[in-house]
Amino acid sequence: MRLIIVKAFLARERSIRKGKRVDRRAKVLDFGDDEATEYAILSHRWVGQEVDCDEMVGLAKMPMEERDEIRQRDSYQKILQSCKQAQEDGYEWLWVDTCCIDKRSSAELSEAINSMYRWYENAEVCYAYLHDVPEPRFPTAEDYEIYPDSSGWPEWFSRGWTLQELIAPSNVQFLNKDWQSIGDKRTLGPTLRDITGIPEDILIHGLDGNRPCVAQIMSWAAHRTTTRVEDQAYSLMGLLDVNMPMLYGEGKKAFHRLQLEIIRASNDQSIFAWHPNRENRQLGSILANEPSDFRNCGGMDDEVMQYIKKDIPEEELHSIEDRLGTFPITNRGIQIWLLLRPMVSESDSVFEAWLPCRSGAWPVTIDLALWESNYYRWTAGPYLSGLPTCSEVLPRQLRQVYLRYQDLPCGNITFEIDDSALTENGFTFCGAFPEFTGNTLTMTSTNSLCVKVYSDSLTNHHFAVGFGQAFGKDWIHVIFDEPNIIPQPSGWLLDKYFEMWYRAPKHAPHMNKARSGAQQVCIMQTRLPQTTRILQISSVMWKSLRRCGVKLEVFHDPGFGNVSGHWTAFHVNGTDDLGCDWQGLMMSDRQNECGSYAIDEVPSNFSDAPDGIKLGDYGHFTNSEEFCCEGNLFTDLDPLSLMADITPRQHRISSVNYVLVCKLTNVHYLNLCKPVVLSLPSDDNFKSLLISLSTRLINKYLVTKVTEYFHDFGSSKRYWCDIVKPFVWYRNERASSASEERLGDGLRAETEGGEG
């Protein structure tokens, strides 16, 4: 370690102050062995421009003006007063972090940070300079007027690096602003315990004796801050007895690396006992994001085996400690044995896990969520505190699981909900939790679920629709009330919110599994209890916008056909269009495309055109896969009555070369001569037209694009076309509206009432 030569530094300062000639060759810094050298060490809060190593060494060689600027700094005076104190106490060497580390060398900086705890531990005395304490005595009570930004105590107690500087040295002397002694850590033990939360025996004897569990040590840093986010981790390495290279610029990954190093060197499971801040994520890595996640772990210890053993089968007791004490880090996650039980009955998605550590009288538990065979940390939402679970009556099982330590992708998801078809057909919106206004919901990592409840005014039945996100995926789920039970809407709403929250990791994969590749449109149909009606939920996701459009509708199904209640995905054109909406989506649900080319730089599929086909033709496909035209939008419909401008658009093809994929999978290259591409517009007028025709042209196909070209100069014209189904037509395929059945149900109800 590089140390200040106290005598040489003070001699140089006297010469400068008296205007005498300064020996430019005199050394004020030299290297020493921390194990063999008796030295003092300074702990302080960095304030203003500190004196660095280069300035300390080159001071005597600087021009007088530059030299005086450095000597007038508070940071230089701090070093000067430290040297005077060290000389007075009989020490020839002093270490000060600002000028004894050449931070231009990354290797030296890394070595110093990895060695710093030992350097403080081996110091004969540590001077803790409290620059903001004006009184000649140590503060004994919080004072927010004097220390408003550091929880009512001197700022030294709010900094990350000073934690190890308090614990490591056996002799810490506190000095006030004027360098007056105001006590040492042995005599101030009770006050320091109250300020820092560190037990007195640790303050006096350090960590060499009975080392606390990892979570408790982390808790001491929970309310401390550092200028660089990486230093939240680096400042704790010595306290946790681990080493790792410095990578400034890695951000919060430094704290993740620190935890992985601790796991490699220790079998202390309290490292998983953290609880996130309310600003933190709901689902993700088993590792904490920052020391503040351990803020409630001050009273934790790992003496808990006697509590856990009673839940272990007798034949497994002999190996339980070995199992619980071994958890290697693999590329899949942290492989570990845990005692698990479901958070709610009949659930295989969210579990409560017991850790072999305790806070108070009982073992610590954490919640885990299962996703794709791995377990992630799961935390209760902002509205679930105090709500009971049924986990008390469910058995625990000892399982070997993989805990993921990689963060999940996150980001807000916005739902745009259209439930007008429900309210227009006699369904009443009863409320939402949490409450919101309008039809737009934004789900975040900390507010990731909203439940809306609707009631049927005819039958008085209720159903709840949950809109949420989990594992970075959007999800929608429906729960109906129980038969013959009329729920209280407010209480039932909270109950369904609770149920959906704890099953969110199970609901999310359903939609995620249905979607694949370009399949971004999903439909789920569920039968309403004790009726002949179907609740249909249509969902489209625009990935680039993280926006999900949702349409809720009810249709009559007198045939009582099979309704799966599962999500089904469809190939739909236009989901990558930022300006797209429901009405502009076109379904490519037929596999008759022959190839593709680029129009306006956008890839487009095509099929061979039947003879005489025109833009705007609509019809159906026969069993032999031939398109049968039934009419044309331009000739069969009255433009004046539609009040819609559906003038075709003309496009350019971006490349003359065209790839043709035959049905025999052979690839041919064609040169298109004089290509002309016409397509139907995608503006609001055309979308309105599609809506107005949705009941008349249910389940019909529409020619939306026609390409006219010559194969060679002088040859006859050839045609390709795109034949798709407007999604709005498919969605309304069940043409009978709920209102028709409601009328019939109402007449039956009146008749039954008359007979009574």
Side-chain angles (χ1 to χ4, degrees):
M1 63 189 303
R2 187 185 281 108
L3 293 161
I4 299 173
I5 307 171
V6 172
K7 185 176 180 179
F9 175 82
L10 292 176
R12 185 180 71 176
E13 175 61 22
R14 282 195 298 270
S15 298
I16 296 173
R17 189 174 65 251
K18 292 179 180 180
K20 294 183 178 181
R21 185 173 180 273
V22 179
D23 184 358
R24 296 188 176 189
R25 296 173 298 175
K27 294 175 64 175
V28 294
L29 294 177
D30 203 357
F31 289 93
D33 182 355
D34 64 291
E35 301 284 350
T37 306
E38 293 185 357
Y39 60 92
I41 200 166
L42 177 66
S43 174
H44 62 109
R45 167 74 178 103
W46 285 31
V47 178
Q49 186 178 1
E50 297 288 340
V51 178
D52 62 27
C53 183
D54 187 51
E55 292 171 328
M56 188 71 166
V57 172
L59 188 73
K61 303 176 184 178
M62 293 178 182
M64 183 177 297
E65 184 177 340
E66 187 178 349
R67 179 196 302 170
D68 289 344
E69 185 275 324
I70 293 174
R71 291 178 59 246
Q72 290 171 8
R73 294 180 195 168
D74 290 340
S75 55
Y76 182 86
Q77 294 300 314
K78 183 166 49 181
I79 296 172
L80 176 61
Q81 294 300 327
S82 300
C83 286
K84 289 180 178 179
Q85 186 67 47
Q87 186 178 59
E88 183 179 328
D89 293 340
Y91 299 108
E92 298 179 2
W93 305 90
L94 173 70
W95 189 86
V96 180
D97 56 355
T98 58
C99 60
C100 290
I101 305 172
D102 187 354
K103 298 177 182 64
R104 295 172 300 181
S105 168
S106 59
E108 182 174 336
L109 177 61
S110 181
E111 179 187 2
I113 290 178
N114 276 279
S115 305
M116 201 173 294
Y117 184 87
R118 190 184 76 243
W119 291 350
Y120 275 93
E121 187 177 37
N122 290 337
E124 297 296 316
V125 62
C126 174
Y127 301 128
Y129 176 58
L130 309 184
H131 74 284
D132 51 358
V133 176
E135 301 297 326
R137 58 186 176 277
F138 193 90
T140 56
E142 294 175 329
D143 192 327
Y144 285 92
E145 285 191 24
I146 299 178
Y147 314 110
D149 300 323
S150 50
S151 301
W153 296 103
E155 192 178 8
W156 187 87
F157 291 99
S158 69
R159 305 304 298 177
W161 284 105
T162 57
L163 176 60
Q164 67 174 3
E165 297 161 16
L166 172 64
I167 294 174
S170 59
N171 180 11
V172 178
Q173 299 290 326
F174 291 95
L175 302 149
N176 72 358
K177 180 180 180 180
D178 299 320
W179 292 90
Q180 297 173 304
S181 176
I182 54 176
D184 63 83
K185 79 169 181 177
R186 288 180 177 270
T187 58
L188 293 170
T191 302
L192 295 175
R193 178 200 60 209
D194 294 340
I195 297 173
T196 65
I198 304 171
E200 280 189 69
D201 64 311
I202 300 295
L203 290 168
I204 295 172
H205 303 295
L207 296 172
D208 289 338
N210 185 17
R211 178 178 284 270
C213 67
V214 169
Q216 186 178 3
I217 295 175
M218 292 283 198
S219 74
W220 304 336
H223 302 288
R224 293 174 178 258
T225 60
T226 58
T227 302
R228 298 289 297 269
V229 65
E230 296 88 351
D231 286 337
Q232 291 182 338
Y234 303 158
S235 63
L236 290 171
M237 291 192 301
L239 289 164
L240 294 162
D241 197 23
V242 295
N243 296 98
M244 63 184 195
M246 306 298 101
L247 297 172
Y248 280 104
E250 65 177 327
K252 72 174 185 178
K253 289 183 179 179
F255 195 63
H256 284 188
R257 279 202 300 129
L258 174 71
Q259 294 168 85
L260 292 176
E261 290 299 324
I262 294 169
I263 292 170
R264 291 186 179 99
S266 155
N267 62 357
D268 186 346
Q269 288 194 27
S270 73
I271 195 170
F272 306 125
W274 54 272
H275 191 278
N277 289 315
R278 61 179 178 272
E279 299 299 328
N280 228 321
R281 75 273 196 227
Q282 171 208 352
L283 272 162
S285 169
I286 191 63
L287 303 178
N289 269 346
E290 54 192 26
S292 62
D293 290 342
F294 291 89
R295 65 197 179 282
N296 296 323
C297 299
M300 195 167 292
D301 64 53
D302 53 4
E303 299 296 329
V304 77
M305 289 306 299
Q306 66 271 25
Y307 297 96
I308 291 182
K309 286 181 178 179
K310 64 181 181 179
D311 289 280
I312 304 298
E314 186 174 350
E315 63 273 13
E316 296 183 5
L317 281 175
H318 68 283
S319 62
I320 185 61
E321 292 196 31
D322 286 340
R323 287 185 177 183
L324 295 180
T326 304
F327 39 100
I329 299 172
T330 73
N331 59 352
R332 179 175 170 183
I334 299 170
Q335 185 180 7
I336 191 171
W337 285 90
L338 290 172
L339 275 169
L340 301 180
R341 65 180 176 184
M343 290 293 293
V344 291
S345 60
E346 300 178 2
S347 172
D348 56 358
S349 56
V350 179
F351 299 86
E352 177 190 79
W354 268 24
L355 300 178
C357 54
R358 66 175 180 174
S359 181
W362 296 101
V364 174
T365 62
I366 61 172
D367 297 338
L368 302 173
L370 178 62
W371 173 265
E372 296 180 346
S373 302
N374 293 321
Y375 289 78
Y376 293 83
R377 185 64 191 268
W378 188 91
T379 54
Y383 306 104
L384 292 182
S385 58
L387 287 178
T389 71
C390 57
S391 59
E392 290 80 3
V393 299
L394 299 177
R396 300 182 183 89
Q397 287 185 324
L398 185 63
R399 294 190 194 178
Q400 188 179 51
V401 300
Y402 287 89
L403 305 179
R404 295 290 286 180
Y405 54 85
Q406 295 88 349
D407 271 335
L408 283 164
C410 59
N412 298 346
I413 295 176
T414 298
F415 290 95
E416 294 183 359
I417 304 167
D418 181 359
D419 59 2
S420 58
L422 294 183
T423 55
E424 290 170 2
N425 285 283
F427 287 81
T428 303
F429 169 61
C430 300
F433 188 81
E435 293 183 0
F436 75 99
T437 57
N439 292 318
T440 301
L441 275 172
T442 298
M443 299 288 94
T444 67
S445 59
T446 55
N447 185 21
S448 57
L449 172 63
C450 181
V451 175
K452 300 185 73 173
V453 169
Y454 300 87
S455 69
D456 183 348
S457 58
L458 184 63
T459 65
N460 206 28
H461 280 295
H462 294 72
F463 65 89
V465 184
F467 304 90
Q469 73 149 340
F471 304 101
K473 309 294 183 182
D474 62 299
W475 61 268
I476 305 169
H477 186 68
V478 181
I479 299 179
F480 297 97
D481 59 9
E482 295 78 8
N484 303 319
I485 296 178
I486 300 177
Q488 295 296 322
S490 59
W492 194 74
L493 171 58
L494 289 176
D495 183 55
K496 297 306 118 178
Y497 180 91
F498 168 82
E499 183 177 339
M500 289 195 199
W501 183 278
Y502 279 105
R503 288 190 166 90
K506 185 174 182 180
H507 300 324
H510 292 169
M511 288 187 72
N512 185 58
K513 184 177 180 180
R515 290 175 177 151
S516 61
Q519 292 179 313
Q520 297 303 315
V521 175
C522 295
I523 288 181
M524 179 176 67
Q525 294 180 337
T526 309
R527 187 173 300 282
L528 292 169
Q530 299 181 335
T531 72
T532 60
R533 281 167 293 177
I534 300 295
L535 171 66
Q536 178 171 284
I537 303 178
S538 306
S539 166
V540 61
M541 169 59 74
W542 287 277
K543 285 186 175 180
S544 56
L545 296 177
R546 300 282 293 171
R547 179 165 59 92
C548 180
V550 183
K551 178 77 172 179
L552 303 176
E553 297 168 290
V554 172
F555 297 106
H556 181 49
D557 183 19
F560 289 95
N562 182 33
V563 178
S564 67
H566 298 149
W567 288 101
T568 303
F570 300 89
H571 286 291
V572 176
N573 294 335
T575 53
D576 55 348
D577 182 356
L578 300 185
C580 185
D581 62 16
W582 280 110
Q583 289 74 40
L585 297 177
M586 299 290 177
M587 294 182 58
S588 302
D589 65 343
R590 305 193 61 79
Q591 303 300 319
N592 61 345
E593 290 87 0
C594 296
S596 62
Y597 54 91
I599 295 178
D600 293 333
E601 309 296 336
V602 178
S604 178
N605 296 325
F606 74 90
S607 302
D608 286 329
D611 292 338
I613 199 165
K614 299 183 296 297
L615 185 69
D617 283 352
Y618 57 86
H620 64 277
F621 280 89
T622 65
N623 292 336
S624 58
E625 297 297 320
E626 294 182 357
F627 179 73
C628 180
C629 180
E630 300 178 27
N632 183 276
L633 296 183
F634 295 98
T635 58
D636 294 358
L637 303 175
D638 182 359
L640 295 177
S641 63
L642 291 173
M643 298 296 290
D645 181 7
I646 54 173
T647 304
R649 295 188 301 170
Q650 184 166 329
H651 306 264
R652 64 181 178 87
I653 297 179
S654 61
S655 175
V656 174
N657 290 324
Y658 164 71
V659 180
L660 173 64
V661 183
C662 298
K663 294 182 180 179
L664 298 178
T665 70
N666 296 322
V667 178
H668 301 279
Y669 294 87
L670 297 180
N671 289 321
L672 304 184
C673 300
K674 301 180 180 180
V676 175
V677 181
L678 297 176
S679 73
L680 293 174
S682 59
D683 55 21
D684 291 340
N685 284 335
F686 181 67
K687 294 170 186 176
S688 298
L689 173 62
L690 294 179
I691 297 173
S692 66
L693 297 174
S694 60
T695 55
R696 174 176 173 179
L697 302 180
I698 288 173
N699 215 19
K700 303 300 181 184
Y701 289 83
L702 178 65
V703 178
T704 60
K705 190 182 302 175
V706 174
T707 301
E708 173 188 294
Y709 73 100
F710 295 91
H711 185 201
D712 294 305
F713 287 102
S715 65
S716 59
K717 286 184 180 180
R718 298 190 180 186
Y719 296 91
W720 295 322
C721 66
D722 286 4
I723 304 177
V724 295
K725 182 187 298 182
F727 186 71
V728 68
W729 295 2
Y730 172 84
R731 195 188 60 204
N732 295 330
E733 171 176 358
R734 298 178 181 274
S736 299
S737 68
S739 58
E740 295 177 10
E741 185 198 1
R742 294 181 62 79
L743 178 61
D745 288 344
L747 292 174
R748 285 193 295 272
E750 290 177 4
T751 303
E752 291 168 359
E755 290 177 352

